[in-house]
Amino acid sequence: MPETITAPRVQLEIKVERPRLYKVMLVNDDFTPREFVVQILKAEFRLDEGQASRVMMTAHQRGVCVVAVFTQEVAETKATTATDMARSKGYPLLFTTEPEE
Ligand code: TYC
């Protein structure tokens, strides 16, 4: 009677990690008009008038403010697009990204 050999059963444990999130930061400067900053925040980040004004004023008073949090690629694309919109109007307005803790 041939003996039956069974392969060892391996239990695979698949771990799915949530992607790391990145903050888009609005940086203050002395030249970009407040109303233009608010316009960009509404257009690129879909903030409403009140949210956009609060974010703009926080950056204005403290130097920097978190606008929103996204996956890395979305954060970088939005920061670049928003910064380029300002550059095309001749303003030094800057958006940066950084990973969340
Ligand atoms: N400080 C600018 C001014 O007084 C307004 C401003 C606010 C610019 C926030 C950039 O991220 C900024 N005209």
Side-chain angles (χ1 to χ4, degrees):
M1 190 67 158
E3 129 190 36
T4 308
I5 300 170
T6 51
R9 292 190 183 275
V10 178
Q11 187 83 271
L12 288 183
E13 188 185 323
I14 298 171
K15 292 202 170 156
V16 179
E17 289 191 11
R18 254 191 271 278
R20 196 156 193 218
L21 295 178
Y22 282 68
K23 299 182 281 192
V24 174
M25 317 289 295
L26 170 65
V27 182
N28 187 37
D29 67 71
D30 291 339
F31 303 101
T32 309
R34 293 182 187 195
E35 195 40 54
F36 182 80
V37 179
V38 170
Q39 253 184 55
I40 299 260
L41 290 171
K42 288 163 72 176
E44 188 58 28
F45 298 96
R46 327 265 18 194
L47 303 189
D48 67 26
E49 182 75 29
Q51 295 167 326
S53 294
R54 286 191 291 276
V55 167
M56 180 279 293
M57 281 310 292
T58 302
H60 177 72
Q61 289 164 348
R62 304 167 77 125
V64 63
C65 181
V66 179
V67 178
V69 168
F70 304 99
T71 54
Q72 181 171 21
E73 193 172 318
V74 174
E76 285 171 358
T77 303
K78 285 186 178 287
T80 303
T81 304
T83 299
D84 288 349
M85 281 164 75
R87 283 305 170 284
S88 75
K89 301 281 183 202
Y91 296 127
L93 185 63
L94 178 64
F95 290 84
T96 62
T97 62
E98 58 178 76
E100 266 196 335
E101 314 68 44

